[in-house]
PDB file of all heavy atoms in Angstrom:
ATOM      1  N   THR A  27    -121.782 -38.693  44.129  1.00  0.00           N
ATOM      2  CA  THR A  27    -121.146 -38.625  42.809  1.00  0.00           C
ATOM      3  C   THR A  27    -121.391 -39.912  42.039  1.00  0.00           C
ATOM      4  O   THR A  27    -121.784 -39.878  40.867  1.00  0.00           O
ATOM      5  CB  THR A  27    -119.635 -38.367  42.954  1.00  0.00           C
ATOM      6  OG1 THR A  27    -119.448 -37.151  43.673  1.00  0.00           O
ATOM      7  CG2 THR A  27    -118.959 -38.286  41.609  1.00  0.00           C
ATOM      8  N   VAL A  28    -121.169 -41.054  42.686  1.00  0.00           N
ATOM      9  CA  VAL A  28    -121.375 -42.351  42.017  1.00  0.00           C
ATOM     10  C   VAL A  28    -122.840 -42.514  41.622  1.00  0.00           C
ATOM     11  O   VAL A  28    -123.147 -42.973  40.516  1.00  0.00           O
ATOM     12  CB  VAL A  28    -120.879 -43.516  42.908  1.00  0.00           C
ATOM     13  CG1 VAL A  28    -121.267 -44.857  42.325  1.00  0.00           C
ATOM     14  CG2 VAL A  28    -119.364 -43.429  43.091  1.00  0.00           C
ATOM     15  N   ARG A  29    -123.764 -42.099  42.479  1.00  0.00           N
ATOM     16  CA  ARG A  29    -125.200 -42.172  42.132  1.00  0.00           C
ATOM     17  C   ARG A  29    -125.511 -41.309  40.916  1.00  0.00           C
ATOM     18  O   ARG A  29    -126.285 -41.704  40.044  1.00  0.00           O
ATOM     19  CB  ARG A  29    -126.067 -41.733  43.312  1.00  0.00           C
ATOM     20  CG  ARG A  29    -126.391 -42.842  44.283  1.00  0.00           C
ATOM     21  CD  ARG A  29    -127.507 -42.463  45.255  1.00  0.00           C
ATOM     22  NE  ARG A  29    -127.317 -41.183  45.928  1.00  0.00           N
ATOM     23  CZ  ARG A  29    -126.578 -41.013  47.029  1.00  0.00           C
ATOM     24  NH1 ARG A  29    -125.956 -42.026  47.573  1.00  0.00           N
ATOM     25  NH2 ARG A  29    -126.466 -39.823  47.581  1.00  0.00           N
ATOM     26  N   SER A  30    -124.906 -40.131  40.833  1.00  0.00           N
ATOM     27  CA  SER A  30    -125.175 -39.253  39.684  1.00  0.00           C
ATOM     28  C   SER A  30    -124.662 -39.887  38.391  1.00  0.00           C
ATOM     29  O   SER A  30    -125.298 -39.770  37.341  1.00  0.00           O
ATOM     30  CB  SER A  30    -124.567 -37.859  39.895  1.00  0.00           C
ATOM     31  OG  SER A  30    -123.182 -37.826  39.660  1.00  0.00           O
ATOM     32  N   ILE A  31    -123.530 -40.569  38.456  1.00  0.00           N
ATOM     33  CA  ILE A  31    -122.991 -41.257  37.276  1.00  0.00           C
ATOM     34  C   ILE A  31    -123.913 -42.404  36.878  1.00  0.00           C
ATOM     35  O   ILE A  31    -124.257 -42.568  35.702  1.00  0.00           O
ATOM     36  CB  ILE A  31    -121.565 -41.769  37.549  1.00  0.00           C
ATOM     37  CG1 ILE A  31    -120.610 -40.598  37.782  1.00  0.00           C
ATOM     38  CG2 ILE A  31    -121.073 -42.657  36.404  1.00  0.00           C
ATOM     39  CD1 ILE A  31    -119.269 -41.001  38.383  1.00  0.00           C
ATOM     40  N   THR A  32    -124.321 -43.201  37.856  1.00  0.00           N
ATOM     41  CA  THR A  32    -125.212 -44.337  37.592  1.00  0.00           C
ATOM     42  C   THR A  32    -126.532 -43.871  37.000  1.00  0.00           C
ATOM     43  O   THR A  32    -127.037 -44.451  36.038  1.00  0.00           O
ATOM     44  CB  THR A  32    -125.460 -45.121  38.899  1.00  0.00           C
ATOM     45  OG1 THR A  32    -124.194 -45.526  39.423  1.00  0.00           O
ATOM     46  CG2 THR A  32    -126.322 -46.330  38.666  1.00  0.00           C
ATOM     47  N   THR A  33    -127.091 -42.794  37.536  1.00  0.00           N
ATOM     48  CA  THR A  33    -128.352 -42.241  37.022  1.00  0.00           C
ATOM     49  C   THR A  33    -128.180 -41.745  35.591  1.00  0.00           C
ATOM     50  O   THR A  33    -129.005 -42.025  34.720  1.00  0.00           O
ATOM     51  CB  THR A  33    -128.837 -41.087  37.923  1.00  0.00           C
ATOM     52  OG1 THR A  33    -129.074 -41.605  39.236  1.00  0.00           O
ATOM     53  CG2 THR A  33    -130.105 -40.453  37.385  1.00  0.00           C
ATOM     54  N   ALA A  34    -127.097 -41.030  35.332  1.00  0.00           N
ATOM     55  CA  ALA A  34    -126.865 -40.482  33.992  1.00  0.00           C
ATOM     56  C   ALA A  34    -126.630 -41.587  32.957  1.00  0.00           C
ATOM     57  O   ALA A  34    -126.959 -41.424  31.786  1.00  0.00           O
ATOM     58  CB  ALA A  34    -125.683 -39.514  34.013  1.00  0.00           C
ATOM     59  N   ALA A  35    -126.069 -42.730  33.388  1.00  0.00           N
ATOM     60  CA  ALA A  35    -125.754 -43.822  32.462  1.00  0.00           C
ATOM     61  C   ALA A  35    -126.916 -44.789  32.256  1.00  0.00           C
ATOM     62  O   ALA A  35    -126.891 -45.592  31.311  1.00  0.00           O
ATOM     63  CB  ALA A  35    -124.539 -44.591  32.970  1.00  0.00           C
ATOM     64  N   ALA A  36    -127.930 -44.702  33.102  1.00  0.00           N
ATOM     65  CA  ALA A  36    -129.041 -45.668  33.043  1.00  0.00           C
ATOM     66  C   ALA A  36    -129.696 -45.692  31.663  1.00  0.00           C
ATOM     67  O   ALA A  36    -130.061 -44.657  31.110  1.00  0.00           O
ATOM     68  CB  ALA A  36    -130.082 -45.329  34.111  1.00  0.00           C
ATOM     69  N   GLY A  37    -129.793 -46.890  31.117  1.00  0.00           N
ATOM     70  CA  GLY A  37    -130.498 -47.083  29.854  1.00  0.00           C
ATOM     71  C   GLY A  37    -129.718 -46.714  28.602  1.00  0.00           C
ATOM     72  O   GLY A  37    -130.226 -46.847  27.493  1.00  0.00           O
ATOM     73  N   LEU A  38    -128.479 -46.232  28.759  1.00  0.00           N
ATOM     74  CA  LEU A  38    -127.692 -45.842  27.586  1.00  0.00           C
ATOM     75  C   LEU A  38    -126.879 -47.024  27.066  1.00  0.00           C
ATOM     76  O   LEU A  38    -126.440 -47.876  27.835  1.00  0.00           O
ATOM     77  CB  LEU A  38    -126.743 -44.691  27.928  1.00  0.00           C
ATOM     78  CG  LEU A  38    -127.388 -43.369  28.316  1.00  0.00           C
ATOM     79  CD1 LEU A  38    -126.311 -42.343  28.634  1.00  0.00           C
ATOM     80  CD2 LEU A  38    -128.286 -42.854  27.210  1.00  0.00           C
ATOM     81  N   ASP A  39    -126.643 -47.036  25.770  1.00  0.00           N
ATOM     82  CA  ASP A  39    -125.865 -48.078  25.120  1.00  0.00           C
ATOM     83  C   ASP A  39    -124.393 -47.673  25.123  1.00  0.00           C
ATOM     84  O   ASP A  39    -123.816 -47.347  24.086  1.00  0.00           O
ATOM     85  CB  ASP A  39    -126.378 -48.289  23.687  1.00  0.00           C
ATOM     86  CG  ASP A  39    -125.672 -49.424  22.975  1.00  0.00           C
ATOM     87  OD1 ASP A  39    -125.168 -50.338  23.654  1.00  0.00           O
ATOM     88  OD2 ASP A  39    -125.614 -49.383  21.730  1.00  0.00           O
ATOM     89  N   ILE A  40    -123.799 -47.639  26.323  1.00  0.00           N
ATOM     90  CA  ILE A  40    -122.385 -47.299  26.450  1.00  0.00           C
ATOM     91  C   ILE A  40    -121.714 -48.313  27.370  1.00  0.00           C
ATOM     92  O   ILE A  40    -122.352 -48.907  28.239  1.00  0.00           O
ATOM     93  CB  ILE A  40    -122.149 -45.871  26.999  1.00  0.00           C
ATOM     94  CG1 ILE A  40    -122.732 -45.705  28.411  1.00  0.00           C
ATOM     95  CG2 ILE A  40    -122.687 -44.822  26.055  1.00  0.00           C
ATOM     96  CD1 ILE A  40    -122.370 -44.384  29.073  1.00  0.00           C
ATOM     97  N   TRP A  41    -120.424 -48.494  27.152  1.00  0.00           N
ATOM     98  CA  TRP A  41    -119.592 -49.243  28.079  1.00  0.00           C
ATOM     99  C   TRP A  41    -118.940 -48.206  28.974  1.00  0.00           C
ATOM    100  O   TRP A  41    -118.359 -47.237  28.487  1.00  0.00           O
ATOM    101  CB  TRP A  41    -118.540 -50.045  27.312  1.00  0.00           C
ATOM    102  CG  TRP A  41    -117.605 -50.790  28.205  1.00  0.00           C
ATOM    103  CD1 TRP A  41    -117.772 -52.034  28.718  1.00  0.00           C
ATOM    104  CD2 TRP A  41    -116.343 -50.319  28.705  1.00  0.00           C
ATOM    105  NE1 TRP A  41    -116.699 -52.371  29.498  1.00  0.00           N
ATOM    106  CE2 TRP A  41    -115.802 -51.331  29.509  1.00  0.00           C
ATOM    107  CE3 TRP A  41    -115.626 -49.136  28.549  1.00  0.00           C
ATOM    108  CZ2 TRP A  41    -114.591 -51.209  30.162  1.00  0.00           C
ATOM    109  CZ3 TRP A  41    -114.406 -48.997  29.198  1.00  0.00           C
ATOM    110  CH2 TRP A  41    -113.898 -50.036  29.984  1.00  0.00           C
ATOM    111  N   LEU A  42    -119.046 -48.373  30.281  1.00  0.00           N
ATOM    112  CA  LEU A  42    -118.579 -47.364  31.225  1.00  0.00           C
ATOM    113  C   LEU A  42    -117.651 -47.973  32.259  1.00  0.00           C
ATOM    114  O   LEU A  42    -117.975 -48.984  32.883  1.00  0.00           O
ATOM    115  CB  LEU A  42    -119.783 -46.724  31.931  1.00  0.00           C
ATOM    116  CG  LEU A  42    -119.494 -45.663  32.982  1.00  0.00           C
ATOM    117  CD1 LEU A  42    -118.808 -44.451  32.371  1.00  0.00           C
ATOM    118  CD2 LEU A  42    -120.785 -45.254  33.671  1.00  0.00           C
ATOM    119  N   GLU A  43    -116.497 -47.347  32.419  1.00  0.00           N
ATOM    120  CA  GLU A  43    -115.540 -47.714  33.450  1.00  0.00           C
ATOM    121  C   GLU A  43    -115.327 -46.467  34.314  1.00  0.00           C
ATOM    122  O   GLU A  43    -115.024 -45.398  33.789  1.00  0.00           O
ATOM    123  CB  GLU A  43    -114.219 -48.119  32.803  1.00  0.00           C
ATOM    124  CG  GLU A  43    -113.056 -48.210  33.757  1.00  0.00           C
ATOM    125  CD  GLU A  43    -111.714 -48.385  33.051  1.00  0.00           C
ATOM    126  OE1 GLU A  43    -111.436 -47.656  32.069  1.00  0.00           O
ATOM    127  OE2 GLU A  43    -110.958 -49.250  33.498  1.00  0.00           O
ATOM    128  N   VAL A  44    -115.513 -46.594  35.616  1.00  0.00           N
ATOM    129  CA  VAL A  44    -115.263 -45.483  36.533  1.00  0.00           C
ATOM    130  C   VAL A  44    -114.024 -45.851  37.345  1.00  0.00           C
ATOM    131  O   VAL A  44    -114.029 -46.814  38.098  1.00  0.00           O
ATOM    132  CB  VAL A  44    -116.466 -45.207  37.459  1.00  0.00           C
ATOM    133  CG1 VAL A  44    -116.165 -44.046  38.397  1.00  0.00           C
ATOM    134  CG2 VAL A  44    -117.725 -44.947  36.650  1.00  0.00           C
ATOM    135  N   GLN A  45    -112.957 -45.086  37.153  1.00  0.00           N
ATOM    136  CA  GLN A  45    -111.703 -45.319  37.861  1.00  0.00           C
ATOM    137  C   GLN A  45    -111.661 -44.461  39.121  1.00  0.00           C
ATOM    138  O   GLN A  45    -111.765 -43.244  39.037  1.00  0.00           O
ATOM    139  CB  GLN A  45    -110.501 -44.927  36.999  1.00  0.00           C
ATOM    140  CG  GLN A  45    -110.329 -45.660  35.723  1.00  0.00           C
ATOM    141  CD  GLN A  45    -109.202 -45.039  34.907  1.00  0.00           C
ATOM    142  OE1 GLN A  45    -109.064 -43.825  34.855  1.00  0.00           O
ATOM    143  NE2 GLN A  45    -108.405 -45.877  34.286  1.00  0.00           N
ATOM    144  N   MET A  46    -111.497 -45.087  40.251  1.00  0.00           N
ATOM    145  CA  MET A  46    -111.317 -44.327  41.492  1.00  0.00           C
ATOM    146  C   MET A  46    -109.835 -44.032  41.636  1.00  0.00           C
ATOM    147  O   MET A  46    -109.020 -44.944  41.733  1.00  0.00           O
ATOM    148  CB  MET A  46    -111.852 -45.111  42.674  1.00  0.00           C
ATOM    149  CG  MET A  46    -113.363 -45.263  42.598  1.00  0.00           C
ATOM    150  SD  MET A  46    -114.062 -46.021  44.048  1.00  0.00           S
ATOM    151  CE  MET A  46    -113.642 -44.844  45.292  1.00  0.00           C
ATOM    152  N   VAL A  47    -109.500 -42.746  41.617  1.00  0.00           N
ATOM    153  CA  VAL A  47    -108.105 -42.303  41.692  1.00  0.00           C
ATOM    154  C   VAL A  47    -107.907 -41.669  43.064  1.00  0.00           C
ATOM    155  O   VAL A  47    -108.314 -40.532  43.294  1.00  0.00           O
ATOM    156  CB  VAL A  47    -107.796 -41.281  40.570  1.00  0.00           C
ATOM    157  CG1 VAL A  47    -106.330 -40.889  40.610  1.00  0.00           C
ATOM    158  CG2 VAL A  47    -108.196 -41.832  39.206  1.00  0.00           C
ATOM    159  N   PRO A  48    -107.298 -42.413  44.004  1.00  0.00           N
ATOM    160  CA  PRO A  48    -107.143 -41.872  45.358  1.00  0.00           C
ATOM    161  C   PRO A  48    -106.026 -40.843  45.420  1.00  0.00           C
ATOM    162  O   PRO A  48    -104.999 -40.972  44.753  1.00  0.00           O
ATOM    163  CB  PRO A  48    -106.772 -43.110  46.179  1.00  0.00           C
ATOM    164  CG  PRO A  48    -106.078 -44.007  45.205  1.00  0.00           C
ATOM    165  CD  PRO A  48    -106.746 -43.762  43.872  1.00  0.00           C
ATOM    166  N   TRP A  49    -106.267 -39.797  46.200  1.00  0.00           N
ATOM    167  CA  TRP A  49    -105.217 -38.818  46.446  1.00  0.00           C
ATOM    168  C   TRP A  49    -105.354 -38.321  47.876  1.00  0.00           C
ATOM    169  O   TRP A  49    -106.324 -37.657  48.224  1.00  0.00           O
ATOM    170  CB  TRP A  49    -105.291 -37.639  45.469  1.00  0.00           C
ATOM    171  CG  TRP A  49    -104.217 -36.657  45.753  1.00  0.00           C
ATOM    172  CD1 TRP A  49    -104.360 -35.422  46.322  1.00  0.00           C
ATOM    173  CD2 TRP A  49    -102.819 -36.842  45.579  1.00  0.00           C
ATOM    174  NE1 TRP A  49    -103.146 -34.827  46.490  1.00  0.00           N
ATOM    175  CE2 TRP A  49    -102.173 -35.681  46.033  1.00  0.00           C
ATOM    176  CE3 TRP A  49    -102.040 -37.879  45.083  1.00  0.00           C
ATOM    177  CZ2 TRP A  49    -100.792 -35.527  46.011  1.00  0.00           C
ATOM    178  CZ3 TRP A  49    -100.667 -37.719  45.049  1.00  0.00           C
ATOM    179  CH2 TRP A  49    -100.066 -36.550  45.505  1.00  0.00           C
ATOM    180  N   GLN A  50    -104.410 -38.676  48.722  1.00  0.00           N
ATOM    181  CA  GLN A  50    -104.370 -38.256  50.116  1.00  0.00           C
ATOM    182  C   GLN A  50    -105.709 -38.493  50.819  1.00  0.00           C
ATOM    183  O   GLN A  50    -106.257 -37.608  51.465  1.00  0.00           O
ATOM    184  CB  GLN A  50    -103.933 -36.796  50.225  1.00  0.00           C
ATOM    185  CG  GLN A  50    -102.538 -36.569  49.702  1.00  0.00           C
ATOM    186  CD  GLN A  50    -102.077 -35.128  49.816  1.00  0.00           C
ATOM    187  OE1 GLN A  50    -102.864 -34.223  50.053  1.00  0.00           O
ATOM    188  NE2 GLN A  50    -100.792 -34.915  49.648  1.00  0.00           N
TER     189      GLN A  50
END
Side-chain angles (χ1 to χ4, degrees):
T27 302
V28 172
R29 273 193 310 276
S30 78
I31 295 166
T32 303
T33 298
L38 295 180
D39 184 26
I40 62 172
W41 177 88
L42 179 63
E43 166 190 46
V44 180
Q45 299 173 320
M46 293 186 63
V47 183
W49 180 253
Q50 297 181 346

